Amino acid sequence: MSTSADLHDPQQELIDGFSIFAPPPGFYESPYPYYRALREREPVHENADGSYYLTRYEDVRRVYRTKSMTSDKTEMFTKKYGPGPLLEQHTTSMLFSDPPYHTRIRNLLRHAFTPRALAQLEHRVVDLVDNLIERCREQGGMDLVLDFAFPLPVEVICSMLGIDTSERERLQEWSRLILTPLEPTATPEMVAEGNQAVTEFSAFLRDLLAEKRVNMARGVRAGDILEDLINSQDSEDDPLTEDELVQNCILLLNGGHETTTNLVGNGMKAMFDSPDQLRALQQDPSLIGSAIEEMLRFDSPLQIGNRGIAEPFEVGGITLTTGTQVLTSIGGANHDPEAFDNPDVFDIARTPNKHLAFAAGIHACIGAPLARMEGTIAIGKLVAAFPEIERTGPVSRGGRARFRGLTSMPVSV
Ligand code: HEM
């Protein structure tokens, strides 16, 4: 005879009625038990809208590497946002496009991430981090997210594009408003705010481009990447149009700052939660490279990707038909025991570490070398400067499933 105790199945309870579009209470705090239950019970989980949510490493990797997958979201975004600036932004950005358009834009934006371009930015990152650390030292502590992880990446991208860093707060707000409607739980208000933000951000960039052109015509050069991109409009066979340039600069600004903030915030939280790992890095700074990779894996800054099925695709014994949308769980894949030993253990010496935090395939993050550089300098310098650094209060969370990050984490030094 079965008893209620026999029927109690905690794994199943986590996924009964699970929807990534309306995650259960507790999901934002820790999504990993849900990912685990999904991986074990329903690795190809059908969502209420007919899309699928994949949580196994190999399945997610295969989706990213399959050439026939489409990133073009014109149909989906037209339904979700209707016509307007937000639709134009997300359909002109290379992130949501396929070859040949994607290849053309990506090749042009590569200018921003050459070793030469990154080397030029490195001293800027070092200066910024040193200043933030000095301010923290004077105050005896800080909010590690608000005062450290948040200002750094946006100032770096401002430097990269030659934007005055006094504009930082406006850019961060526009960026937040443009990215929020990508969340599975977007509301009409979020879409309206996103439309307004794209309008304002585009106008700002158009003015900036006009100003740079005037200066360049006068022979006044600042040496930033925006000037290279303007120059490429004259020299390439198939140059970026003004709209493509503006929309893809918005993508660079949006893609590069919140994710990097989340790397630093989530990474340091993981260290505070495993103090032995924090001490290990302080004792052996040469571990910083593998530590950053482990932070990217353990609590990935971006947790969900999307692809469309353009040719029938078999996964987990199910054939997904053309037109089906797939959501990839980067967080689920990066905790899959089939790919990582003891995946729920934070181990800064973990090698190899083939995480999917930057995705894979043709859309793999173009900014990954910059993100790694920023993370290495920021976290390496922070833990070296403050041997006694510790968390002094509870963290606050953004409450978003795709962009996983903290909004506050007080520390003393
Ligand atoms: C830790 C920090 C970062 C993480 C975790 C991250 C993650 C990702 C992921 C997962 C993708 C693939 C999205 C998809 O196709 O579904 C992506 C693409 C992209 N990322 Fe990042 N990113 C980071 C930092 C940056 C930075 C610093 C920049 C630029 C300044 C940047 C710019 C981009 C762009 C432009 C794409 C689109 C690439 C394409 O479509 O070919 N990212 N990123």
Side-chain angles (χ1 to χ4, degrees), residues 86-283:
L86 196 59
L87 182 67
E88 196 201 340
Q89 149 61 204
H90 288 317
T91 50
T92 315
S93 98
M94 69 165 163
L95 175 61
F96 298 123
S97 65
D98 294 331
Y101 177 78
H102 169 262
T103 321
R104 184 179 136 245
I105 304 291
R106 187 159 170 131
N107 281 340
L108 291 168
L109 290 191
R110 263 188 227 287
H111 289 291
F113 301 98
T114 58
R116 184 183 65 89
L118 291 182
Q120 276 177 358
L121 275 179
E122 191 167 343
H123 70 273
R124 181 79 191 117
V125 178
V126 168
D127 282 353
L128 281 167
V129 169
D130 283 345
N131 286 341
L132 295 172
I133 285 178
E134 230 18 73
R135 201 176 310 157
C136 172
R137 194 189 300 282
E138 283 160 17
Q139 293 169 359
M142 63 177 168
D143 188 310
L144 200 149
V145 178
L146 289 176
D147 302 330
F148 189 72
F150 198 53
L152 177 68
V154 71
E155 295 214 8
V156 172
I157 304 173
C158 284
S159 296
M160 185 167 127
L161 292 174
I163 297 174
D164 196 309
T165 51
S166 62
E167 302 288 355
R168 166 167 89 74
E169 281 169 17
R170 271 211 294 173
L171 297 181
Q172 279 175 312
E173 185 58 3
W174 285 331
S175 183
R176 191 182 65 76
L177 295 173
I178 294 168
L179 292 179
T180 301
L182 292 175
E183 286 292 315
T185 50
T187 62
E189 290 72 36
M190 291 174 186
V191 173
E193 287 175 343
N195 273 315
Q196 181 63 24
V198 176
T199 304
E200 290 173 14
F201 205 160
S202 307
F204 170 83
L205 284 172
R206 280 180 213 285
D207 287 350
L208 182 72
L209 285 166
E211 194 187 316
K212 281 200 178 290
R213 284 201 183 93
V214 171
N215 285 339
M216 286 162 75
R218 287 197 195 124
V220 182
R221 301 288 310 254
D224 56 66
I225 195 66
L226 213 49
E227 290 179 350
D228 289 352
L229 292 170
I230 291 172
N231 273 337
S232 77
Q233 287 187 300
D234 298 328
S235 57
E236 301 278 338
D237 290 343
D238 195 0
L240 287 166
T241 64
E242 191 78 352
D243 272 347
E244 289 166 355
L245 183 54
V246 166
Q247 299 296 352
N248 283 287
C249 281
I250 294 181
L251 170 68
L252 281 183
L253 277 148
N254 290 349
H257 94 249
E258 188 168 340
T259 44
T260 313
T261 295
N262 293 352
L263 163 61
V264 175
N266 295 355
M268 284 304 297
K269 177 175 183 299
M271 300 261 260
F272 293 132
D273 290 345
S274 297
D276 60 316
Q277 297 299 296
L278 173 56
R279 302 292 162 244
L281 181 59
Q282 286 173 320
Q283 277 157 20

